[in-house]
Amino acid sequence: DEGTASGVYETTLRVRRGKLETAIKTCVQSYYQKSAVAFRQTKGLDERERRAEIAVLLQPYQGGRCGGVATITGTSEDGGKKYHVSVARTAEQATSGGRTREYKFSENEQVPDDFTSLAFILDRLHEVFGGVIQIEWVMDNAGRIIVLQMEFLPTTPAEDGAGRKVSARAVEVSINSVKDIEEAVAAIQRT
C-alpha cells in the first residue's frame, strides 16, 4: 500500500552503520502506528494487518546534482502518455515536502531537454509493467539518472492493479540471511 499511503510508513535516511538496526526497527514499528492501522482499515486492508506484511528497503544514499519524483500515466486527452516531474536539490527534499519545481508534459509535446533520459526510463517501465508508475530518482554528477525506487499508483480503487502487466522479469525472493541476499542479487542479475 506504499503507493497510496505516502507518509504513513516511516523512512529513515542517511543512517550510519552503527544505527542501522535501530533504523530498521523504526521502519518496521511504523507498520503498527495508529495512522498506519487507520489507513489500512479505511482502505479495507485490515486483513493484511494480521499477517504483518512489511518490507524494508535498504540502499546506499545517493547524492548528485538534483533528484525528485516522476510519474507516467497511461493516456492524456490527446491519446499520449502524461508525465509529471517534481525536481528538488535532492530526491529527499522532493519526497519530504521541500521546495520543488514542477513540470508537466505529454508524449505528444516536446520533452524538455533535461528530462529526455527520465522520460525514456518512464516509457520503458510503462512498456514493461503498464499502469500508473511513479519513481524516485536522482541525477548523479555525471548526468546519469539513478532510479531509487518504483511503485504503482492507483488513481481509483477500481484501477488498483488494473492495467498492470505481469512480467516474466519479476523476481520474488525472501530475505532471511546474508546468503539469501547474495542469491537475490544473483537472481536479479540474471533477469
Side-chain angles (χ1 to χ4, degrees):
D1 21 300
E2 172 68 16
T4 56
S6 297
V8 172
Y9 302 109
E10 191 64 39
T11 298
T12 307
L13 301 171
R14 302 176 192 234
V15 177
R16 300 259 182 238
R17 188 175 303 248
K19 303 282 185 179
L20 186 58
E21 184 176 345
T22 301
I24 291 170
K25 286 178 181 177
T26 298
C27 292
V28 171
Q29 287 170 346
S30 72
Y31 186 85
Y32 302 100
Q33 63 193 10
K34 288 180 184 179
S35 60
V37 171
F39 167 81
R40 289 192 302 276
Q41 288 173 339
T42 300
K43 289 290 199 173
L45 302 171
D46 52 341
E47 276 300 309
R48 290 186 184 178
E49 183 177 351
R50 291 189 204 129
R51 293 185 296 187
E53 292 180 353
I54 187 165
V56 177
L57 172 65
L58 301 175
Q59 65 188 65
Y61 186 84
Q62 298 285 336
R65 290 186 201 170
C66 62
V69 177
T71 305
I72 185 170
T73 59
T75 58
S76 63
E77 296 76 37
D78 61 3
K81 296 178 203 128
K82 289 189 337 186
Y83 306 84
H84 181 189
V85 179
S86 299
V87 182
R89 199 171 68 70
T90 66
E92 177 182 357
Q93 289 175 340
T95 60
S96 300
R99 274 190 21 199
T100 61
R101 294 194 68 182
E102 304 294 320
Y103 300 89
K104 293 182 181 183
F105 51 94
S106 71
E107 177 180 38
N108 299 326
E109 297 174 356
Q110 175 66 36
V111 175
D113 288 340
D114 294 344
F115 302 123
T116 304
S117 294
L118 195 56
F120 176 81
I121 291 167
L122 287 169
D123 285 339
R124 184 67 180 119
L125 290 170
H126 190 264
E127 179 185 318
V128 171
F129 297 106
V132 178
I133 293 173
Q134 177 176 285
I135 62 171
E136 291 179 20
W137 59 275
V138 65
M139 180 183 288
D140 71 9
N141 291 326
R144 293 177 301 227
I145 301 293
I146 299 168
V147 176
L148 304 173
Q149 73 176 31
M150 180 195 97
E151 57 192 345
F152 295 103
L153 296 181
T155 54
T156 67
E159 291 175 315
D160 189 9
R164 293 186 200 167
K165 298 176 186 174
V166 176
S167 174
R169 296 181 186 127
V171 176
E172 187 173 320
V173 293
S174 296
I175 305 294
N176 297 306
S177 68
V178 173
K179 188 174 187 323
D180 290 342
I181 293 170
E182 292 167 356
E183 289 174 9
V185 169
I188 291 166
Q189 288 173 337
R190 287 190 302 267
T191 63

